[in-house]
Amino acid sequence: MYGSGYIPGLDYTKLNNSIAQEDPQKLAEFEAKIENGDKIEPHDWMPQQYRKQLIRLIEQHAHSEIMGALPEGTWITRAPTLKRKLALIAKVQDEIGHAQLLYAAAETLGKPREAMINDLLSGKSKYSNVFNYPAETWADITVIGFLIDAAAIVNQLLNSKGSYGPYSRALKRICAEESFHLKQGYEGFVYLATGSPKQRKMLQDAVNRWWPPIMHFFGPPNKTSVHSEKLMKWKVKMASNDEMRNRFLDQYVPKVWELGITLPDPNLRKNEETGRWEYTEPDWEEFFRVIKGDGPCNKERIAVRQWAVEKGRWVRQALFNPSAKYSLPVA
Ligand code: BYC
Protein backbone atom coordinates (compact mmCIF):
# COMPACT_ATOMS: atom_id res chain seq x y z
CA MET A 1 0.00 0.00 0.00
CA TYR A 2 3.06 2.32 0.15
CA GLY A 3 4.40 1.26 -3.27
CA SER A 4 7.81 1.72 -4.95
CA GLY A 5 11.05 -0.24 -4.79
CA TYR A 6 10.10 -3.33 -2.79
CA ILE A 7 11.66 -6.51 -4.20
CA PRO A 8 9.36 -9.45 -3.40
CA GLY A 9 10.54 -12.99 -2.76
CA LEU A 10 12.35 -12.55 0.54
CA ASP A 11 10.79 -13.09 3.92
CA TYR A 12 12.60 -10.46 5.95
CA THR A 13 10.92 -11.67 9.15
CA LYS A 14 12.93 -14.90 8.92
CA LEU A 15 16.34 -13.21 8.84
CA ASN A 16 18.39 -14.43 11.77
CA ASN A 17 21.48 -13.23 13.56
CA SER A 18 23.76 -16.11 12.80
CA ILE A 19 26.54 -16.06 10.23
CA ALA A 20 27.63 -19.56 11.20
CA GLN A 21 25.23 -21.11 8.70
CA GLU A 22 26.26 -18.92 5.76
CA ASP A 23 28.06 -20.57 2.85
CA PRO A 24 31.74 -19.94 3.77
CA GLN A 25 32.80 -19.58 0.13
CA LYS A 26 30.12 -16.95 -0.57
CA LEU A 27 30.87 -15.18 2.69
CA ALA A 28 34.58 -15.00 1.82
CA GLU A 29 33.81 -13.59 -1.64
CA PHE A 30 31.40 -11.06 -0.14
CA GLU A 31 33.96 -9.90 2.42
CA ALA A 32 36.67 -9.69 -0.26
CA LYS A 33 34.42 -7.41 -2.33
CA ILE A 34 33.89 -5.15 0.65
CA GLU A 35 37.58 -5.16 1.46
CA ASN A 36 38.23 -4.13 -2.14
CA GLY A 37 35.86 -1.14 -1.82
CA ASP A 38 33.24 -2.57 -4.24
CA LYS A 39 29.60 -1.74 -3.68
CA ILE A 40 27.06 -4.42 -2.78
CA GLU A 41 23.89 -4.10 -4.87
CA PRO A 42 20.35 -5.41 -4.06
CA HIS A 43 20.57 -8.55 -6.20
CA ASP A 44 24.08 -9.52 -5.00
CA TRP A 45 24.45 -12.30 -2.48
CA MET A 46 24.80 -10.96 1.06
CA PRO A 47 24.85 -12.56 4.52
CA GLN A 48 21.52 -12.52 6.34
CA GLN A 49 22.99 -10.45 9.11
CA TYR A 50 24.26 -7.77 6.72
CA ARG A 51 20.75 -7.53 5.24
CA LYS A 52 19.12 -7.45 8.66
CA GLN A 53 21.48 -4.81 10.04
CA LEU A 54 21.06 -2.62 6.97
CA ILE A 55 17.28 -2.82 7.17
CA ARG A 56 17.45 -1.81 10.84
CA LEU A 57 19.79 1.10 10.27
CA ILE A 58 18.32 2.52 7.03
CA GLU A 59 14.77 2.17 8.31
CA GLN A 60 15.71 3.95 11.54
CA HIS A 61 17.32 6.71 9.50
CA ALA A 62 14.20 7.06 7.29
CA HIS A 63 11.94 7.27 10.34
CA SER A 64 14.26 9.94 11.79
CA GLU A 65 13.75 12.10 8.72
CA ILE A 66 9.94 12.07 8.93
CA MET A 67 9.97 12.48 12.71
CA GLY A 68 12.58 15.25 12.38
CA ALA A 69 10.19 17.20 10.21
CA LEU A 70 7.68 17.36 13.09
CA PRO A 71 9.39 19.72 15.59
CA GLU A 72 10.37 21.98 12.68
CA GLY A 73 6.89 21.74 11.17
CA THR A 74 5.33 23.12 14.36
CA TRP A 75 7.14 26.41 13.68
CA ILE A 76 6.11 26.96 10.05
CA THR A 77 3.09 29.03 11.08
CA ARG A 78 5.11 30.93 13.68
CA ALA A 79 8.33 31.69 11.77
CA PRO A 80 9.40 35.29 12.50
CA THR A 81 9.56 36.52 8.87
CA LEU A 82 8.22 35.48 5.48
CA LYS A 83 11.77 34.69 4.30
CA ARG A 84 12.35 32.33 7.22
CA LYS A 85 8.90 30.77 6.79
CA LEU A 86 9.61 29.97 3.11
CA ALA A 87 13.02 28.53 3.94
CA LEU A 88 11.58 26.39 6.73
CA ILE A 89 8.79 25.05 4.49
CA ALA A 90 11.41 24.08 1.90
CA LYS A 91 13.59 22.40 4.54
CA VAL A 92 10.72 20.36 5.97
CA GLN A 93 9.80 19.28 2.45
CA ASP A 94 13.41 18.21 1.84
CA GLU A 95 13.46 16.13 5.04
CA ILE A 96 10.36 14.23 3.91
CA GLY A 97 12.06 13.71 0.54
CA HIS A 98 15.07 12.22 2.38
CA ALA A 99 12.74 9.77 4.09
CA GLN A 100 11.35 8.75 0.69
CA LEU A 101 14.87 8.06 -0.61
CA LEU A 102 15.77 6.07 2.48
CA TYR A 103 12.57 4.01 2.61
CA ALA A 104 13.14 3.13 -1.05
CA ALA A 105 16.74 2.08 -0.22
CA ALA A 106 15.52 -0.09 2.68
CA GLU A 107 12.84 -1.66 0.49
CA THR A 108 15.55 -3.00 -1.85
CA LEU A 109 16.52 -5.29 1.05
CA GLY A 110 13.10 -6.93 1.13
CA LYS A 111 11.10 -5.13 3.80
CA PRO A 112 7.90 -3.52 2.50
CA ARG A 113 7.30 0.10 3.41
CA GLU A 114 4.00 -0.67 5.10
CA ALA A 115 5.83 -3.02 7.48
CA MET A 116 8.37 -0.29 8.25
CA ILE A 117 5.65 2.23 9.04
CA ASN A 118 3.82 -0.32 11.19
CA ASP A 119 7.04 -1.00 13.12
CA LEU A 120 7.53 2.73 13.67
CA LEU A 121 3.99 3.11 15.01
CA SER A 122 4.25 0.07 17.29
CA GLY A 123 7.59 1.22 18.72
CA LYS A 124 9.46 -1.80 17.33
CA SER A 125 11.68 0.43 15.14
CA LYS A 126 13.57 3.31 16.64
CA TYR A 127 14.18 6.82 15.33
CA SER A 128 16.70 9.45 16.34
CA ASN A 129 16.62 10.42 20.01
CA VAL A 130 16.80 14.15 19.21
CA PHE A 131 13.33 14.31 17.72
CA ASN A 132 11.67 13.35 20.99
CA TYR A 133 12.23 16.79 22.47
CA PRO A 134 10.01 19.84 21.98
CA ALA A 135 11.00 22.92 19.95
CA GLU A 136 10.01 25.50 22.56
CA THR A 137 11.13 28.71 20.84
CA TRP A 138 12.26 29.87 17.41
CA ALA A 139 15.85 29.49 18.64
CA ASP A 140 15.27 25.73 18.95
CA ILE A 141 14.60 25.66 15.20
CA THR A 142 17.87 27.48 14.66
CA VAL A 143 19.75 24.99 16.85
CA ILE A 144 18.17 22.06 15.00
CA GLY A 145 19.02 23.66 11.64
CA PHE A 146 22.62 24.34 12.60
CA LEU A 147 23.83 21.78 15.13
CA ILE A 148 21.57 18.79 14.44
CA ASP A 149 21.98 19.12 10.70
CA ALA A 150 25.74 19.45 11.30
CA ALA A 151 25.75 16.27 13.39
CA ALA A 152 23.75 14.47 10.71
CA ILE A 153 26.17 15.58 8.00
CA VAL A 154 29.17 14.25 9.95
CA ASN A 155 27.44 10.85 10.15
CA GLN A 156 26.11 10.85 6.58
CA LEU A 157 29.23 12.06 4.78
CA LEU A 158 31.18 9.21 6.35
CA ASN A 159 28.54 6.57 5.66
CA SER A 160 27.97 7.76 2.08
CA LYS A 161 31.28 5.99 1.38
CA GLY A 162 29.81 2.76 2.77
CA SER A 163 29.41 -0.61 1.09
CA TYR A 164 25.69 -0.83 0.27
CA GLY A 165 25.07 0.89 -3.08
CA PRO A 166 21.47 2.15 -2.60
CA TYR A 167 22.19 3.57 0.89
CA SER A 168 25.45 5.13 -0.17
CA ARG A 169 23.86 6.83 -3.21
CA ALA A 170 20.88 8.04 -1.17
CA LEU A 171 23.23 9.56 1.42
CA LYS A 172 25.19 11.43 -1.26
CA ARG A 173 22.01 13.13 -2.46
CA ILE A 174 20.86 13.81 1.09
CA CYS A 175 24.20 15.36 2.04
CA ALA A 176 23.98 17.84 -0.84
CA GLU A 177 20.66 19.12 0.52
CA GLU A 178 21.72 18.93 4.16
CA SER A 179 24.74 21.13 3.39
CA PHE A 180 22.31 23.78 2.26
CA HIS A 181 20.21 23.34 5.41
CA LEU A 182 23.37 23.72 7.45
CA LYS A 183 24.17 27.07 5.81
CA GLN A 184 20.61 28.21 6.48
CA GLY A 185 20.81 27.01 10.10
CA TYR A 186 24.19 28.68 10.67
CA GLU A 187 22.98 31.97 9.23
CA GLY A 188 20.00 31.91 11.61
CA PHE A 189 22.28 30.99 14.52
CA VAL A 190 24.67 33.89 13.80
CA TYR A 191 21.69 36.23 13.41
CA LEU A 192 20.38 35.43 16.91
CA ALA A 193 23.86 35.31 18.47
CA THR A 194 24.64 38.81 17.19
CA GLY A 195 21.15 40.18 17.86
CA SER A 196 19.54 41.85 20.86
CA PRO A 197 20.22 40.63 24.44
CA LYS A 198 16.79 38.95 24.34
CA GLN A 199 17.65 37.08 21.13
CA ARG A 200 21.04 36.00 22.51
CA LYS A 201 19.41 34.72 25.69
CA MET A 202 16.79 32.82 23.72
CA LEU A 203 19.57 31.19 21.68
CA GLN A 204 21.71 30.39 24.73
CA ASP A 205 18.73 28.75 26.48
CA ALA A 206 18.02 26.65 23.40
CA VAL A 207 21.66 25.55 23.13
CA ASN A 208 21.63 24.56 26.80
CA ARG A 209 18.49 22.48 26.28
CA TRP A 210 19.70 20.74 23.12
CA TRP A 211 23.31 20.02 24.06
CA PRO A 212 22.74 16.69 25.89
CA PRO A 213 20.50 15.23 23.12
CA ILE A 214 23.06 16.35 20.52
CA MET A 215 25.84 14.56 22.42
CA HIS A 216 23.57 11.48 22.47
CA PHE A 217 22.91 11.73 18.71
CA PHE A 218 25.99 9.69 17.68
CA GLY A 219 24.96 6.75 19.85
CA PRO A 220 26.37 5.27 23.06
CA PRO A 221 30.12 5.23 23.77
CA ASN A 222 32.11 2.68 21.74
CA LYS A 223 32.47 0.30 24.65
CA THR A 224 28.70 -0.10 24.93
CA SER A 225 27.78 0.14 21.24
CA VAL A 226 26.13 -3.13 20.23
CA HIS A 227 26.33 -3.03 16.45
CA SER A 228 29.44 -1.00 15.61
CA GLU A 229 31.94 -3.81 15.32
CA LYS A 230 30.02 -5.76 12.70
CA LEU A 231 28.78 -2.66 10.85
CA MET A 232 32.30 -1.27 10.64
CA LYS A 233 33.75 -4.60 9.51
CA TRP A 234 31.23 -4.64 6.65
CA LYS A 235 31.74 -0.91 5.94
CA VAL A 236 28.17 0.11 6.59
CA LYS A 237 29.32 2.38 9.35
CA MET A 238 32.57 4.12 8.44
CA ALA A 239 33.50 5.44 11.89
CA SER A 240 32.72 4.55 15.48
CA ASN A 241 30.22 6.52 17.56
CA ASP A 242 32.98 8.22 19.57
CA GLU A 243 34.95 9.05 16.43
CA MET A 244 31.90 10.72 14.86
CA ARG A 245 31.21 12.63 18.09
CA ASN A 246 34.82 13.80 18.17
CA ARG A 247 34.69 15.00 14.55
CA PHE A 248 31.50 16.92 15.27
CA LEU A 249 33.00 18.61 18.35
CA ASP A 250 36.14 19.45 16.40
CA GLN A 251 34.28 21.15 13.58
CA TYR A 252 31.43 22.86 15.39
CA VAL A 253 32.33 23.73 18.99
CA PRO A 254 34.76 26.46 17.83
CA LYS A 255 32.00 27.94 15.65
CA VAL A 256 29.67 28.17 18.66
CA TRP A 257 32.31 29.56 21.00
CA GLU A 258 33.49 32.23 18.55
CA LEU A 259 29.99 33.74 18.73
CA GLY A 260 30.25 34.00 22.52
CA ILE A 261 27.66 31.25 23.08
CA THR A 262 28.64 28.79 25.79
CA LEU A 263 28.05 25.05 26.01
CA PRO A 264 26.69 23.57 29.23
CA ASP A 265 29.67 21.35 30.02
CA PRO A 266 32.50 22.77 32.16
CA ASN A 267 34.77 19.88 31.13
CA LEU A 268 34.47 20.41 27.40
CA ARG A 269 37.93 21.06 25.92
CA LYS A 270 40.20 19.82 23.20
CA ASN A 271 43.24 17.94 24.37
CA GLU A 272 45.79 19.35 21.95
CA GLU A 273 48.22 16.49 22.59
CA THR A 274 45.81 13.73 21.63
CA GLY A 275 43.64 15.79 19.28
CA ARG A 276 40.62 14.33 21.12
CA TRP A 277 37.85 16.25 22.83
CA GLU A 278 37.23 15.72 26.53
CA TYR A 279 33.71 16.09 27.89
CA THR A 280 31.36 15.01 30.63
CA GLU A 281 29.50 11.91 29.49
CA PRO A 282 25.87 12.87 28.90
CA ASP A 283 23.23 11.01 30.88
CA TRP A 284 23.07 7.68 29.02
CA GLU A 285 20.17 6.45 31.14
CA GLU A 286 18.11 9.32 29.79
CA PHE A 287 19.19 8.41 26.24
CA PHE A 288 18.03 4.80 26.58
CA ARG A 289 14.77 5.89 28.21
CA VAL A 290 14.07 8.28 25.34
CA ILE A 291 14.87 5.85 22.50
CA LYS A 292 12.70 3.21 24.15
CA GLY A 293 9.71 5.54 23.93
CA ASP A 294 9.77 7.48 27.19
CA GLY A 295 10.96 10.91 26.07
CA PRO A 296 9.06 14.19 26.43
CA CYS A 297 7.47 13.97 22.95
CA ASN A 298 7.48 10.28 21.92
CA LYS A 299 3.75 9.80 22.31
CA GLU A 300 2.91 13.06 20.57
CA ARG A 301 5.23 12.26 17.61
CA ILE A 302 3.80 8.75 17.12
CA ALA A 303 0.24 10.09 17.39
CA VAL A 304 0.91 12.56 14.55
CA ARG A 305 2.28 9.75 12.36
CA GLN A 306 -0.73 7.59 13.20
CA TRP A 307 -3.01 10.45 12.18
CA ALA A 308 -1.10 10.85 8.90
CA VAL A 309 -1.40 7.13 8.12
CA GLU A 310 -5.14 7.21 8.69
CA LYS A 311 -5.81 10.48 6.85
CA GLY A 312 -3.61 9.46 3.91
CA ARG A 313 -5.02 5.97 3.46
CA TRP A 314 -7.53 6.99 0.79
CA VAL A 315 -4.76 8.72 -1.22
CA ARG A 316 -2.64 5.56 -1.21
CA GLN A 317 -5.65 3.47 -2.13
CA ALA A 318 -6.46 5.81 -5.01
CA LEU A 319 -2.83 5.74 -6.23
CA PHE A 320 -2.11 2.04 -5.99
CA ASN A 321 -5.55 0.59 -6.60
CA PRO A 322 -7.52 3.23 -8.49
CA SER A 323 -10.40 0.94 -9.48
CA ALA A 324 -11.17 -0.06 -5.88
CA LYS A 325 -13.83 1.71 -3.86
CA TYR A 326 -12.44 4.02 -1.25
CA SER A 327 -14.00 6.44 1.15
CA LEU A 328 -12.87 10.01 1.65
CA PRO A 329 -12.16 10.92 5.27
CA VAL A 330 -14.69 13.08 7.05
CA ALA A 331 -13.05 16.45 7.77
N1 BYC B 1 18.73 7.61 18.40
O1 BYC B 1 24.99 -0.23 18.69
P1 BYC B 1 24.70 1.22 18.55
C1 BYC B 1 18.26 14.40 10.37
C2 BYC B 1 20.31 2.81 19.30
S1 BYC B 1 17.74 12.80 10.60
C3 BYC B 1 17.99 6.49 18.56
O2 BYC B 1 25.85 2.15 18.68
P2 BYC B 1 24.46 1.71 15.68
C4 BYC B 1 17.28 15.48 10.39
C5 BYC B 1 20.68 1.80 18.22
O3 BYC B 1 19.68 1.78 17.20
C6 BYC B 1 19.21 11.86 10.54
N2 BYC B 1 18.55 5.27 18.76
O4 BYC B 1 23.91 1.48 17.17
C7 BYC B 1 15.97 15.24 10.06
C8 BYC B 1 20.76 0.55 19.04
O5 BYC B 1 19.44 0.08 19.34
P3 BYC B 1 18.79 -1.23 18.60
C9 BYC B 1 19.36 10.92 11.68
C10 BYC B 1 19.90 5.20 18.76
O6 BYC B 1 23.32 1.51 14.76
C11 BYC B 1 15.06 16.26 10.14
C12 BYC B 1 21.33 1.02 20.35
O7 BYC B 1 21.03 2.40 20.45
N3 BYC B 1 20.52 10.11 11.43
O8 BYC B 1 19.37 14.62 10.19
O9 BYC B 1 25.72 0.93 15.48
C13 BYC B 1 15.42 17.54 10.56
C14 BYC B 1 22.83 0.79 20.44
O10 BYC B 1 23.56 1.68 19.58
C15 BYC B 1 20.71 6.32 18.56
C16 BYC B 1 20.50 8.75 11.47
O11 BYC B 1 19.47 8.16 11.75
C17 BYC B 1 20.08 7.57 18.38
N4 BYC B 1 20.76 8.73 18.23
O12 BYC B 1 24.90 3.26 15.64
C18 BYC B 1 16.76 17.79 10.85
C19 BYC B 1 21.78 8.03 11.12
N5 BYC B 1 22.01 5.94 18.63
O13 BYC B 1 18.58 -0.81 17.15
C20 BYC B 1 17.71 16.76 10.75
C21 BYC B 1 21.62 6.56 10.88
C22 BYC B 1 22.00 4.62 18.86
O14 BYC B 1 19.76 -2.34 18.73
N6 BYC B 1 22.00 5.78 12.02
N7 BYC B 1 20.74 4.17 18.96
O15 BYC B 1 17.50 -1.44 19.32
C23 BYC B 1 23.29 5.53 12.36
O16 BYC B 1 24.22 5.98 11.73
C24 BYC B 1 23.52 4.61 13.53
O17 BYC B 1 22.33 3.90 13.79
C25 BYC B 1 23.97 5.34 14.83
C26 BYC B 1 24.03 4.31 15.98
C27 BYC B 1 25.35 5.95 14.62
C28 BYC B 1 22.99 6.45 15.21
Side-chain angles (χ1 to χ4, degrees), residues 53 56-57 60-61 64-65 67-69 72 91 95 126-131 144 148-149 152 155-156 159 167 178 216-220 224-228 231 237 241 244 287-288 291:
Q53 279 283 353
R56 178 191 67 83
L57 190 140
Q60 177 186 308
H61 192 165
S64 304
E65 300 281 353
M67 293 310 226
E72 293 188 313
K91 181 178 191 299
E95 306 297 0
K126 295 192 166 66
Y127 57 93
S128 187
N129 67 301
V130 282
F131 302 122
I144 294 174
I148 293 184
D149 276 273
N155 169 294
Q156 289 161 187
N159 291 346
Y167 188 42
E178 293 286 19
H216 288 149
F217 179 88
F218 298 97
T224 53
S225 167
V226 186
H227 306 293
S228 287
L231 289 177
K237 202 164 155 176
N241 299 354
M244 288 189 278
F287 168 78
F288 284 110
I291 66 171

Side-chain angles (χ1 to χ4, degrees), residues 220-323:
N222 291 352
K223 56 181 185 297
T224 53
S225 167
V226 186
H227 306 293
S228 287
E229 195 184 333
K230 201 142 289 138
L231 289 177
M232 288 175 72
K233 179 173 175 224
W234 284 336
K235 295 191 182 169
V236 171
K237 202 164 155 176
M238 301 300 278
S240 69
N241 299 354
D242 287 336
E243 176 56 29
M244 288 189 278
R245 203 164 6 251
N246 198 64
R247 285 187 188 215
F248 167 77
L249 295 172
D250 217 24
Q251 287 179 54
Y252 295 101
V253 169
K255 287 192 190 306
V256 173
W257 279 347
E258 77 188 4
L259 291 165
I261 297 296
T262 59
L263 293 165
D265 178 359
N267 298 319
L268 185 66
R269 61 181 276 273
K270 185 170 181 177
N271 182 330
E272 293 298 343
E273 276 170 29
T274 61
R276 312 291 299 177
W277 281 76
E278 294 168 2
Y279 47 83
T280 312
E281 284 296 339
D283 179 349
W284 290 107
E285 278 180 23
E286 174 184 327
F287 168 78
F288 284 110
R289 250 196 339 269
V290 168
I291 66 171
K292 284 181 187 151
D294 191 20
C297 293
N298 295 63
K299 289 184 185 61
E300 178 187 328
R301 302 277 184 255
I302 295 289
V304 174
R305 292 310 320 163
Q306 184 75 54
W307 179 90
V309 164
E310 278 157 25
K311 294 287 173 191
R313 185 168 288 120
W314 74 273
V315 178
R316 295 191 300 280
Q317 280 172 348
L319 277 172
F320 298 120
N321 193 4
S323 56

